[in-house]
Amino acid sequence: TTRATLADGRASAAMISRAVGIRTARAGCPDNVRPRDISTATRPCPGACGHKLNVGNAKILHVASRKLVSASAAAGASSRSFDEGTTSRQWGFGPGPAPAAADAYEGESAEPPIDPAERRAFVMEEARTFLASDLVKIFDTGELTRSRYSPTIRFEDPITSFNDLDGYMFNIRMLKTLFNIGFKLHTIEVSGNDEVTARWTMSMEFWPLPWKPTLLFTGRSIYRVDLFSGQITSHVDVWDALQNNRFVSLEGVQHVLRQFFQVQLTPDIESHKYEVLLKFKQYEIRKYEDYLVAETQQPMGSGPASGSGFNDLAQYIFGGNREQVKMDMTTPVLSSVRPEGNQSMSMQFVMEGRFKDVAQLPTPLGALVTRKEVDGGYFGAVAFSGWPLDYEVVQVWTCGMCGV
C-alpha cells in the first residue's frame, strides 16, 4: 500500500494525489483517493485489492500498490519500481530521487506532468502546518520531530550559529535545561516561494542565578523549506530589539547581558495581565485585557506621581467602603496627565482579578472614589529604575518603528 499522511483533514484527497504524484487504486477499492479515519493499527482494505492499512489514528490516503514503469521501458530499457515504503516519501515527504515526469503506471498511459505551482502550494502549506505544531512542542518538551529537519540545517540568531541538526538540537536542549521558557506563537504564514515566517514572543527565566533574571525577546523566525523533500533546511531568528541581527552581533550580546544583570525587585502582588507583542531596547508594546479600576480625581497642582489621590484609593481598598471589604493591593497604579503640563488629572488602582464586573466591587463611601471598567488595548510601556519622579512619568518617548 502506498500512503500519504494528511496533516490537515480539510485538505482535498484528490488534490493531494495530484500534488504528491500518485495515481488512483485499481477499480473496486472503496478507499480510492479519499481520506478516512482508521482507528486500528492494521486492517484490511474492504475492497477487492485486499491491501492492509498500517497507520494509527490519522487521516490517510489509500492507494493500491502497483508497479511504476518508466516510460523508457517502452523503448527497451529495464523497468524500475518504487515499493510501499518509499513512494510517498519520494514525492515530497522525505529524501530520495523522484520518478521522471514521463513515468506511468503499468498498463496505463502517462498523465500530464504535475502543476509545479500546485505542488509547491501543497508542500508549503503542509510545512507551515507542521511548524505551527512543532514550535509549541519544542519548548514544552525540548525535543523536535527530527525527520522533518535536514541533517545539514543551518541555524542562526544574533549570538548563536549551527550548521547541522545535532548542533540545532543541542541548542534547544541547552535552552530547555537552563531556562524556564515561555513561548507564544502569534502568527505563522507562508511568506515566500520556499519560506515560512513565524512571529513570536519568548520569555526565558535563568533559574541558576539567585535573582533569576528573565530575558524577554520578540521577533521572527524565517524558515526555508526544501520543495522536494519538505524538510526544513534553514532557520534564522531576527530580534525586534536589534538593528544588526547578523551573527555575531555585538549589539545582540549587549542586549542579552543587559537583561541578565538587570536586577529588578517586583512586588509579590497581583498584576494586571498583559502580553508583550514587541520588545525593543527602551520600551515594549503590550496588549492588555479589559480591567476594572477604582478611580479618583486629583486636586489641581498634583503631579502624576504624587497627590492625595493615592491615600483616597488606599483607604477604599483597605476596608473604607460600605461593605467593609478589604482588598489586596495590585499593580500598576495608573495616572493620567494633562497634555499641556505635568499636572495629574486622575489616579486609578487596578482591581483584583476575582472581580469580574463593576457591580461586584464594594461600594465607595463617598463621591471621591468611583468604580469603572476600562477597555484593554495596545500600550507602550517604559521601565526605569528608582522612584517614579514626575518628570520621568511624563517624559516623551518616540516609537522607533512609526515615529509617534
Side-chain angles (χ1 to χ4, degrees):
T1 305
T2 300
R3 301 179 300 276
T5 301
L6 305 188
D8 189 332
R10 297 168 298 176
S12 162
M15 183 198 79
I16 292 168
S17 67
R18 294 194 301 273
V20 300
I22 52 182
R23 296 285 298 280
T24 61
R26 63 168 59 95
C29 176
D31 290 288
N32 226 12
V33 196
R34 63 184 179 92
R36 55 181 294 149
D37 287 310
I38 303 301
S39 58
T40 56
T42 302
R43 67 187 291 265
C45 170
C49 66
H51 294 296
K52 292 183 178 181
L53 310 174
N54 297 303
V55 295
N57 295 316
K59 294 282 189 180
I60 68 158
L61 183 67
H62 174 212
V63 180
S65 62
R66 58 178 58 195
K67 187 171 292 186
L68 191 63
V69 182
S70 172
S72 60
S78 60
S79 65
R80 53 194 176 97
S81 63
F82 299 85
D83 62 21
E84 170 183 338
T86 59
T87 304
S88 61
R89 294 172 64 240
Q90 289 168 337
W91 281 94
F93 298 94
D103 287 345
Y105 284 92
E106 185 177 19
E108 298 181 5
S109 60
E111 285 189 348
I114 304 164
D115 179 19
E118 183 181 17
R119 185 181 188 283
R120 186 201 68 81
F122 169 77
V123 172
M124 292 304 298
E125 176 59 22
E126 195 277 339
R128 186 199 68 81
T129 304
F130 161 75
L131 284 169
S133 172
D134 215 46
L135 272 172
V136 176
K137 184 183 78 171
I138 285 173
F139 296 108
D140 279 344
T141 66
E143 299 294 329
L144 50 73
T145 307
R146 189 181 181 104
S147 62
R148 292 304 306 272
Y149 297 84
S150 169
T152 57
I153 184 172
R154 181 180 70 89
F155 171 77
E156 180 181 302
D157 69 17
I159 62 171
T160 313
S161 179
F162 293 97
N163 289 305
D164 57 41
L165 184 54
D166 289 337
Y168 188 60
M169 296 186 68
F170 167 80
N171 186 51
I172 293 171
R173 290 167 179 167
M174 178 190 66
L175 294 177
K176 181 65 176 175
T177 300
L178 296 178
F179 294 88
N180 296 322
I181 296 178
F183 181 80
K184 172 69 173 181
L185 179 63
H186 300 300
T187 61
I188 183 165
E189 59 185 3
V190 177
S191 52
N193 183 66
D194 61 347
E195 180 183 279
V196 175
T197 299
R199 173 160 281 283
W200 43 261
T201 296
M202 179 183 289
S203 63
M204 304 168 60
E205 181 190 63
F206 190 66
W207 61 264
L209 288 178
W211 62 92
K212 297 182 179 179
T214 297
L215 284 63
L216 184 65
F217 303 90
T218 64
R220 293 170 290 130
S221 291
I222 303 168
Y223 297 91
R224 296 287 182 181
V225 181
D226 186 306
L227 293 178
F228 171 67
S229 69
Q231 289 186 320
I232 312 303
T233 61
S234 172
H235 173 183
V236 176
D237 279 350
V238 177
W239 299 350
D240 293 325
L242 307 185
Q243 296 294 324
N244 175 24
N245 275 279
R246 295 295 299 272
F247 175 80
V248 61
S249 169
L250 179 60
E251 183 186 8
V253 173
Q254 292 172 338
H255 182 62
V256 171
L257 292 178
R258 188 182 302 113
Q259 296 191 75
F260 256 115
F261 297 106
Q262 182 174 305
V263 181
Q264 295 179 328
L265 297 177
T266 303
D268 188 20
I269 57 179
E270 182 179 337
S271 185
H272 182 45
K273 292 181 174 59
Y274 63 87
E275 181 181 354
V276 178
L277 301 180
L278 294 170
K279 166 72 173 179
F280 299 101
K281 286 182 181 178
Q282 296 180 321
Y283 65 96
E284 300 171 355
I285 302 299
R286 299 175 178 177
K287 181 182 180 182
Y288 281 86
E289 301 175 358
D290 296 347
Y291 55 99
L292 303 176
V293 299
E295 181 182 72
T296 187
Q297 300 302 310
Q298 291 275 63
M300 289 296 294
S302 299
S306 60
S308 62
F310 189 94
N311 292 332
D312 295 334
L313 293 173
Q315 183 179 2
Y316 168 73
I317 69 169
F318 294 143
N321 52 72
R322 186 173 300 173
E323 292 81 7
Q324 298 183 348
V325 173
K326 293 185 178 181
M327 295 168 278
D328 292 335
M329 188 68 188
T330 64
T331 62
V333 175
L334 304 173
S335 295
S336 60
V337 181
R338 287 184 175 85
E340 64 272 11
N342 288 0
Q343 291 188 354
S344 177
M345 297 170 58
S346 65
M347 181 174 288
Q348 298 173 337
F349 279 10
V350 178
M351 297 290 94
E352 296 175 63
R354 63 187 172 110
F355 299 106
K356 305 301 181 184
D357 186 81
V358 171
Q360 295 180 347
L361 294 173
T363 307
L365 292 176
L368 289 178
V369 176
T370 57
R371 304 163 296 171
K372 62 188 296 186
E373 181 176 357
V374 180
D375 293 336
Y378 299 92
F379 298 87
V382 178
F384 52 89
S385 60
W387 294 101
L389 302 177
D390 289 349
Y391 81 92
E392 291 179 307
V393 174
V394 299
Q395 184 173 353
V396 177
W397 294 84
T398 302
C399 176
M401 294 184 66
C402 62
V404 176

